[in-house]
């Protein structure tokens, strides 16, 4: 076979690397929801108080946290992520947060210890868009006023607490840690870490 012919075949669009790098995106991108600092304030099921709108979907429907956990093991493999809306920004931040949660509990052996560590981690001070140390600063706009910054901080605090609860439920049983989840603690989504 001619080497020039093979070069043309393998440079065709079918074999291009970008064709196979399709990350999963949020289904909330087309919803008319409020945004703060580039984060779409997506509804989710929770008992934690905060500015998130209540989830009104059917009982078996996925909220933004369910989507994040459902797509996590596939999305965490990607170094690039194409944002199709503000809900994708929320999904991206939550994916990074789940990575950080897994890193925090990778050496923990009991569910109770994991709950304590992740609850404390969720309540720690964290950066928001506009802060100098915010990891995804180039992807998020800075807050336009202090009330938008406070709304963003309150939403992220609320969603971090709920994600921490659900990560513990997925990653730990009464028997111990789930190795099929904790093996992703070494992965870095978009080559970034919170």
């Amino acid at each position: 076979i001619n080497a020039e012919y093979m070069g043309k075949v393998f440079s065709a669009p079918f074999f291009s690397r970008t064709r196979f790098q399709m990350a999963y995106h949020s289904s909330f991108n087309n919803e008319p929801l409020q945004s703060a600092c580039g984060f779409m304030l997506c509804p989710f099921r929770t008992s934690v108080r905060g500015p998130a709108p209540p989830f009104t979907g059917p009982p078996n429907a996925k909220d933004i946290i369910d989507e994040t956990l459902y797509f996590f093991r596939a999305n965490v493999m990607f170094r690039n992520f194409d944002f199709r809306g503000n809900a994708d920004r929320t999904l991206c931040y939550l994916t990074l947060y789940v990575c950080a949660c897994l890193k925090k509990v990778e050496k923990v052996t009991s569910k109770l210890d994991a709950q304590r560590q992740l609850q404390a981690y969720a309540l720690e001070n964290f950066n928001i868009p506009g802060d100098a140390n915010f990891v995804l600063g180039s992807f998020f706009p800075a807050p336009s006023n202090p009330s938008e910054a406070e709304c963003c901080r309150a939403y992220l605090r609320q969603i971090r607490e709920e994600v921490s609860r659900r990560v513990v439920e997925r990653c730990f049983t009464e028997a111990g840690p789930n190795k099929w989840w904790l093996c992703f603690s070494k992965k870095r989504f978009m080559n970034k870490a919170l």
Side-chain angles (χ1 to χ4, degrees), residues 5-172:
Y5 171 75
M6 291 304 289
K8 288 180 184 177
V9 168
F10 287 108
S11 66
F14 179 76
F15 289 103
S16 74
R17 187 175 163 100
T18 58
R19 178 182 171 103
F20 297 106
Q21 293 184 344
M22 302 280 296
Y24 291 98
H25 296 276
S26 176
S27 63
F28 289 94
N29 278 327
N30 299 325
E31 298 290 326
L33 297 168
Q34 181 185 359
S35 293
C37 299
F39 288 100
M40 184 172 281
L41 304 182
C42 298
F44 56 92
R45 288 183 279 280
T46 185
S47 59
V48 180
R49 294 179 145 225
F55 187 74
T56 58
N60 59 351
K62 288 184 172 74
D63 61 12
I64 189 70
I65 299 172
D66 292 331
E67 278 187 353
T68 301
L69 294 174
Y70 184 74
F71 295 137
F72 174 77
R73 293 186 280 185
N75 278 349
V76 76
M77 301 294 185
F78 292 103
R79 289 189 176 181
N80 300 319
F81 192 85
D82 179 34
F83 295 103
R84 295 185 181 166
N86 286 344
D88 278 347
R89 287 186 174 91
T90 305
L91 182 76
C92 177
Y93 179 83
L94 292 179
T95 302
L96 285 174
Y97 183 71
V98 171
C99 288
C101 287
L102 292 177
K103 190 77 173 158
K104 285 274 185 198
V105 298
E106 70 181 333
K107 303 246 190 276
V108 175
T109 57
S110 74
K111 187 174 184 176
L112 188 60
D113 289 342
Q115 285 173 340
R116 284 188 199 131
Q117 282 193 11
L118 291 186
Q119 181 66 23
Y121 182 58
L123 298 175
E124 284 179 6
N125 286 335
F126 55 90
N127 296 315
I128 63 168
D131 292 345
N133 295 332
F134 185 64
V135 177
L136 298 169
S138 59
F139 301 110
F140 288 82
S144 58
N145 54 46
S147 65
E148 183 181 10
E150 188 52 40
C151 178
C152 178
R153 189 174 301 280
Y155 179 75
L156 290 180
R157 184 173 293 117
Q158 180 186 14
I159 204 166
R160 284 166 62 110
E161 283 188 60
E162 185 60 32
V163 169
S164 295
R165 289 179 186 174
R166 294 194 199 179
V167 164
V168 169
E169 292 302 318
R170 292 255 177 142
C171 296
F172 288 88

